[in-house]
Amino acid sequence: MNITVYLGANAGNDPALRDAVRALGRWIGESGNALVYGGSKNGLMGALAESVLAAGGRATGVEPQVFVDQGFLYDELTELIVTRDFPERKAKMLELGDAFIAFPGGTGTLEEIAEVMSRVALGQLDAPCILYNLNGYYDGLRTQLAHMIELGLSSEARQRGIYFADDLEQIRQLLGPACAG
């Protein structure tokens, strides 16, 4: 299974982020699944890819040409796909993914997972969409989604397939036996 992970190229200032992203990467690599991610060597992105590869897994980076030109590319990837721009990158990451995880990240992460959530809600994508709610990172978004339902702007049926996981064990459970590794 290709697991597309959205996350930041910044490391953040909480050591729990790096520990959790390394554990996620180790699990992806050891479980026989493959990583699809933004392709950067920096921050949390780099730590994730490094962990997948160190565990014997496959890591595919989807990097826009502008970031390749700026030297952000992780050179050790199993596969690199260079796109013209960000919209093409986002489309390719969607195309390649069988499951989608938003690790804590910045506005780019939020923008990317919002499209996945929208496609799941509209029935255009039949794949799990998991928000890794490490230390309550996505609690505000969970509240917002519930508020949408309360106001009749969304429904539980539309949000089926959008999950919040507090830890790696919950992610493993959500992805099921095919990913148990």
Side-chain angles (χ1 to χ4, degrees):
M1 169 180 286
N2 283 336
I3 300 174
T4 297
V5 179
Y6 301 108
L7 71 169
N10 292 324
N13 58 17
D14 181 352
L17 293 170
R18 189 168 290 272
D19 293 344
V21 86
R22 285 185 174 143
L24 176 62
R26 215 173 16 258
W27 171 73
I28 290 171
E30 291 173 353
S31 66
N33 295 297
L35 170 68
V36 175
Y37 85 116
S40 179
K41 66 181 177 185
N42 297 332
L44 296 174
M45 280 192 188
L48 176 65
E50 182 181 285
S51 299
V52 169
L53 294 167
R58 295 180 43 82
T60 298
V62 184
E63 189 83 274
Q65 184 65 53
V66 65
F67 282 171
V68 172
D69 294 344
Q70 293 175 7
F72 296 147
L73 176 65
Y74 192 117
D75 293 329
E76 313 276 325
L77 295 172
T78 310
E79 181 180 4
L80 171 65
I81 299 169
V82 178
T83 63
R84 289 185 310 270
D85 53 27
F86 289 97
E88 185 180 325
R89 174 199 208 186
K90 189 166 55 168
K92 181 53 87 172
M93 290 175 72
L94 269 165
E95 174 189 324
L96 294 174
D98 299 307
F100 300 86
I101 298 172
F103 194 81
T107 54
T109 301
L110 186 58
E111 187 262 338
E112 290 170 322
I113 201 63
E115 180 164 347
V116 174
M117 291 168 43
S118 180
R119 288 179 182 237
V120 166
L122 294 172
Q124 297 173 345
L125 182 62
D126 184 20
C129 173
I130 301 170
L131 294 120
Y132 194 157
N133 196 33
L134 182 68
N135 297 328
Y137 187 80
Y138 286 111
D139 281 350
L141 182 55
R142 183 192 318 239
T143 300
Q144 182 63 42
L145 291 173
H147 189 58
M148 290 174 182
I149 293 171
E150 289 168 13
L151 292 178
L153 300 172
S154 186
S155 66
E156 288 184 25
R158 288 243 171 177
Q159 292 184 21
R160 195 170 298 123
I162 301 169
Y163 306 99
F164 290 82
D166 294 330
D167 55 36
L168 181 55
E169 184 55 36
Q170 287 182 352
I171 290 172
R172 292 170 66 161
Q173 290 172 7
L174 287 166
L175 293 180
C179 292

